[in-house]
Structures are given as C-alpha cells and as structure tokens.
Amino acid sequence: MVSRVIPVDPFDLVLFGATGDLARRKILPSLFHRFQIGQIDAQSRIIGTSRSQLDRAGFQDLVASAIREFGQAGETGEDDIATFVQLLDYVPVDAKGDAGWSALKSLLRPDVVRAFYLSVGPGLFPAIASRLSSCEIATADSRVVLEKPFGHDLASAQALNSALRAYFKESQIYRIDHYLGKETVQNLMALRFANSLFEPLWNSTHVDHVQITVAEKIGVEGRGEYYDRSGAMRDMVQNHLMQLLCLTAMEPPSRFTPNAVRDEKVKVIEALEPVSLDNIARGQYRASPGGAKQDSYLDHAGNPTSTTESFVAMKVEVANWRWAGTPFYLRTGKCLRARESEIAVYFRDPPHNIFAGATGVHGNVLVIRLQPDEGITLRTTIKDPGPGGMRLTSANLDMTFADSLPEAGRPQDAYERLIMDVIRGNQTLFMRGDEVEAAWAWADPIIASWEQSGDLAPQAYDPGSSGPDDSLLLMHRDHRRWRGIGT
C-alpha cells in the first residue's frame, strides 16, 4: 500500500502572526512538507504578516531557519527549502490600525482560494475579521482559520462567534483543534464505521468503561502566566478531551460529511450529565522532593497563591441509550510520568467462565494510542503455552503505524492534514460554533462549582507521578484502576 498524495489547487494563504512561535514550530514546517511531497502547487502563495518590520527576503530567511530547526529530520534539504521560500511574501500589518492592509490586498489574486490563518491571540480575531471585510480582502469563498482558545467561558465564546459571523458565514470559519488532525483520531472513525467487528459491541451492554488520558511530562514553564488564567479544565478538557470523547461516543452519522459528523458530536455533548464535585479530582504539581530539581507549579506560574489546577480527572456519564451505565473517565495533567495520549475501551468480562479454577480471565481492552507511537492495540486472553492444565494469560494484537504501514512514510503532522483540508474546503475535522458553545455550557458549571465550593486548593502531587491520590480514589471506589502512564 502506497500513500497517495492528492494535490490541491493553487491558493493564497495569509498567515497572521507569521513570526510567532506556533507559525515557526508547526504551521510553516507543515506547509513546507506538503510542498515537498508535491501536494502544494508551485503557483500557490504564502503571505506572512505581523507587526515585525521585515521585508520578503527577511521573512524567507526566518522561514528557512524555522524549517531547519523544526522540520522532520532527513526532510529539510537545502534545495527544497530554497524552492519553497520562493512561494513566500511578507507584509507588515497593524491588526488594529490602517497600516499594511492596502499592501496586503494588492498581493492577493482574484482567481484562487483565499485562506486567512489567524495564528494570533483570540482578542485580535474580531479586529482582523473586520479589516478583512472592510478592506474588501475577504471574498465569498474565503476561509478563516482560528486557533484556540475559542473563548474563556460560554459568554465569551458566544460573543466571539457573533463577532466572526458578522463578517463570515459559518461555512467559512475553521476552528482548529490539532488533535482532530492526528492519524489515530481519524482512524478511530474508520475503526468504528468501516468495520463490522467493533460497532455491534460499542455500547453499554458490552463496554464496561472508557478511559481517555492526555498526559504531559513537561510543566507550564514559559507559559505560566497564560496557563494560570485557564488551567487544565479550560486548556485541555473543554476542547481536546471533549473531542476525543465525542468521537468515541458519537452515533454513526448518516454519511461522512462535515455537518453530519459534527451534528453527532454536538448530540454527545448535549447528552452529558452534569458532573458533581465528588466525581472530580483536581491537582497541582509541587516541587520535586530532592534529587533533580523540579520547580513547582506555583513557581512556574509566578503566583504563590494560585489555586489553578495543572491536573484534572473526572467521571463523565453520557445520558443516552447507547451509553447509559458506562462511565467515561477523563484525565489530563502536566509534569506526569510520561507524555502519552490514548483512548482505552474496556470491554466487559465474559459472562461465564468455563475454565473452572483457571486464573487470568479478564475482558478485552482496545487501546487507541495518539502519542507517542501512534497505533491500535487489542488485549486478548489466550492460553499460556506449555503443559500442565489450562493457564490463561494476556497477549496484545498490536498495530503500530510506523511498523505496520511503512509504505505510507512517516505519519504527517496534524497541521499538515488540517491546513490542506482548509484549502479543500472540508470542515469535517474542525469545530462548529454550536459545538464550541455546547462544550462551554457543560464546562462552565463545573468551573463555577470549584469557585463556589470554598475549598479551592487542588491536591498537590509529585512531578513524575500519575497525579494526585484523589484521582486514584476516583477509580478505586468504582472497583476500577487507571491504566499506567508510560507503561
């Protein structure tokens, strides 16, 4: 099997915030790789904008350096870089003023798709959208791409959506969540809806519970001031983990179209039960106890009295016919034992054990690994080889993408897929406005309950651990255990 590259038509992509960290680390190297393999036509144009007073040559040098530093090893040949930077141009633009907009307009062509990537803070979204409209830069077929956060709560998300819809139709707005661009996340839909093996079992009759984990080894150093205003709930649960929950729990859409898929995701969010404080564990990493020095969250945030959580775990119930009685356990945190993201579906034990006296009988577990080592593993129970009776043990059916599909090359970065979908006009892997608002409507009462509880301090946990003890108790009282992080 060979990965098939389908070229996209020539386009003009305007990248706001083109000198920023996200553009340098992710967006520009992703565009380079898509060009390198032949998906981006040489007639396409990538126009960078920011407040920095660069000229075209200066921006080309900046992009070339970013590709060398952040591009995939072995894929950053100097000839390819030199060819790619010829697609680039640059205009200094004042997002809230008049400077640069006329010059930007003069660079755009009338006969190609125009995409505007807003790699800037959300406070600038309305101002840029307004200028794109008033300066007649955006056309009826233009696309605007937005990075999270999409608001800080329901009210701010509604205000942001309203401001954007004053200038763009919903069909033109692409709210990006890079988790949806991961190959394994997309394979979750293929696994469920392109096979007859799992979907008949994908319900509360056969599934005991589901664990969704997004663990990070690093702390919040370098972004502590921002993170302290959001916390794990706003930064991760309300968007990334919510998307993984939706794709796991959603009903099969009638067809694989953007709105049909997103309709089913919204239904999942609207079916979520309110979560009580008893079903939530909050944590905040402390300084490491001796040995290699690891500063605490309070040090990284620069706020010695902060009650913001760097870890959250919760038990979530989906109140519909498919999932009633099957809990979803969500867990995410900083400074944990390893960097790991996965969805683990625990199937129920066999209803009757015919192997009297045999040990080792337990249910199957399907694990969808997002990072690292993207792949899918199914735990099965088999006979332990050897004579002397029926002894049972576990064995994994393992498909690691890098090993199983070497012909397809390295897994592409999520941004590569998502940016190309913007150019194609495919919104399947992007969040719709009502989906964002539904997620905030569910999350806001949880955050409010913490603020009103009177006991705001998250439980401390050691760096390099699996999180606070309360998260373990959350599972133990249900006679379940978390999967080990990094095992």
Side-chain angles (χ1 to χ4, degrees):
M1 182 179 69
V2 178
S3 180
R4 188 160 60 101
V5 174
I6 303 175
V8 297
D9 293 333
F11 58 86
D12 285 348
L13 172 64
V14 180
L15 177 57
F16 290 87
T19 60
D21 188 64
L22 178 63
R24 294 178 61 252
R25 287 177 176 272
K26 289 293 186 180
I27 301 171
L28 291 163
S30 293
L31 287 165
F32 167 71
H33 186 249
R34 291 293 99 189
F35 173 78
Q36 191 179 39
I37 65 174
Q39 191 162 28
I40 294 179
D41 188 274
Q43 298 303 309
S44 297
R45 302 274 296 284
I46 300 166
I47 303 166
T49 77
S50 74
R51 292 176 296 178
S52 301
Q53 295 298 312
L54 292 174
D55 58 13
R56 182 174 185 240
F59 182 58
Q60 289 175 333
D61 289 342
L62 181 148
V63 173
S65 296
I67 292 170
R68 295 186 192 106
E69 183 176 359
F70 300 112
Q72 291 287 332
E75 299 176 0
T76 56
E78 290 300 318
D79 289 346
D80 288 339
I81 293 175
T83 305
F84 174 71
V85 298
Q86 298 308 307
L87 277 61
L88 306 178
D89 214 325
Y90 184 85
V91 181
V93 168
D94 182 356
K96 294 185 175 181
D98 297 327
W101 293 99
S102 295
L104 175 60
K105 182 178 180 180
S106 69
L107 291 177
L108 299 174
R109 297 169 291 178
D111 55 345
V112 299
V113 167
R114 295 182 183 182
F116 304 99
Y117 199 125
L118 277 54
S119 180
V120 296
L124 292 176
F125 292 171
I128 293 175
S130 174
R131 292 284 178 175
L132 291 173
S133 176
S134 63
C135 295
E136 299 181 340
I137 295 175
T139 64
D141 190 42
S142 294
R143 295 93 196 250
V144 59
V145 186
L146 311 174
E147 284 281 349
K148 78 175 186 76
F150 312 115
H152 188 72
D153 53 20
L154 176 58
S156 59
Q158 290 172 329
L160 178 58
N161 281 336
S162 179
L164 292 170
R165 289 169 183 152
Y167 309 105
F168 293 95
K169 300 188 294 269
E170 181 63 37
S171 60
Q172 295 177 277
I173 302 172
Y174 291 71
R175 299 170 187 83
I176 202 166
D177 184 332
H178 70 273
Y179 265 63
L180 295 183
K182 293 181 179 294
E183 282 291 337
T184 322
V185 174
Q186 298 166 59
N187 253 300
L188 175 58
M189 288 189 283
L191 187 77
R192 289 190 58 190
F193 305 136
N195 297 283
S196 60
L197 178 62
F198 291 110
E199 190 60 22
L201 308 178
W202 211 263
N203 53 59
S204 60
T205 301
H206 301 284
V207 176
D208 178 76
H209 72 282
V210 178
Q211 297 182 22
I212 301 177
T213 297
V214 177
E216 298 183 76
K217 195 171 184 178
I218 61 173
V220 302
E221 57 268 40
R223 59 192 290 256
E225 184 178 353
Y226 157 76
Y227 193 92
D228 203 45
R229 295 192 300 269
S230 61
M233 185 67 190
R234 288 187 172 99
D235 188 56
M236 294 295 293
V237 176
Q238 182 271 338
N239 42 72
H240 295 329
L241 272 74
M242 180 64 68
Q243 291 301 308
L244 301 182
L245 170 62
C246 286
L247 292 176
T248 305
M250 64 186 277
E251 294 295 322
S254 58
R255 57 186 62 84
F256 192 63
T257 60
N259 278 331
V261 170
R262 295 187 295 180
D263 285 345
E264 298 303 332
K265 288 164 63 184
V266 171
K267 291 176 185 177
V268 173
I269 301 173
E270 292 177 340
L272 295 178
E273 294 278 23
V275 184
S276 68
L277 288 177
D278 292 341
N279 285 323
I280 303 173
R282 296 173 72 223
Q284 188 184 87
Y285 62 87
R286 56 190 164 206
S288 56
K293 176 62 175 173
Q294 167 68 59
D295 289 337
S296 70
Y297 174 86
L298 300 178
D299 296 323
H300 290 156
N303 181 0
T305 61
S306 174
T307 58
T308 300
E309 75 284 352
S310 62
F311 175 100
V312 65
M314 61 178 62
K315 176 181 177 181
V316 176
E317 303 276 356
V318 182
N320 61 22
W321 276 43
R322 179 183 288 263
W323 294 115
T326 293
F328 287 71
Y329 296 95
L330 312 183
R331 173 178 58 163
T332 184
K334 302 285 189 181
C335 268
L336 298 179
R337 182 171 293 127
R339 174 177 175 266
E340 183 174 272
S341 298
E342 67 175 30
I343 303 165
V345 181
Y346 280 72
F347 292 91
R348 297 191 185 279
D349 290 343
H352 174 62
N353 180 14
I354 66 170
F355 303 106
T359 60
V361 179
H362 41 241
N364 307 114
V365 183
L366 178 69
V367 180
I368 299 100
R369 299 189 305 276
L370 280 66
Q371 61 185 23
D373 303 325
E374 292 184 328
I376 299 170
T377 299
L378 177 63
R379 187 181 76 187
T380 60
T381 300
I382 64 170
K383 177 186 178 295
D384 194 359
M390 180 63 72
R391 298 182 304 276
L392 303 178
T393 188
S394 294
N396 287 337
L397 303 178
D398 194 342
M399 187 189 77
T400 300
F401 289 173
D403 297 333
S404 301
L405 304 173
E407 306 90 344
R410 69 146 172 94
Q412 64 185 1
D413 186 89
Y415 280 91
E416 297 179 32
R417 166 64 187 267
L418 295 173
I419 295 172
M420 292 299 95
D421 276 359
V422 171
I423 303 304
R424 296 185 189 99
N426 186 340
Q427 292 184 303
T428 303
L429 300 178
F430 297 84
M431 287 183 284
R432 205 167 57 192
D434 60 338
E435 186 179 349
V436 172
E437 293 178 14
W440 278 120
W442 172 78
D444 275 1
I446 297 173
I447 298 170
S449 69
W450 295 340
E451 296 172 348
Q452 297 165 5
S453 68
D455 181 15
L456 297 179
Q459 187 181 30
Y461 64 92
D462 291 329
S465 68
S466 296
D469 291 342
D470 282 354
S471 70
L472 303 179
L473 296 175
L474 181 68
M475 295 288 276
H476 286 174
R477 73 185 185 202
D478 291 342
H479 306 290
R480 299 183 176 106
R481 299 181 63 180
W482 288 110
R483 279 176 52 83
I485 295 176
T487 58

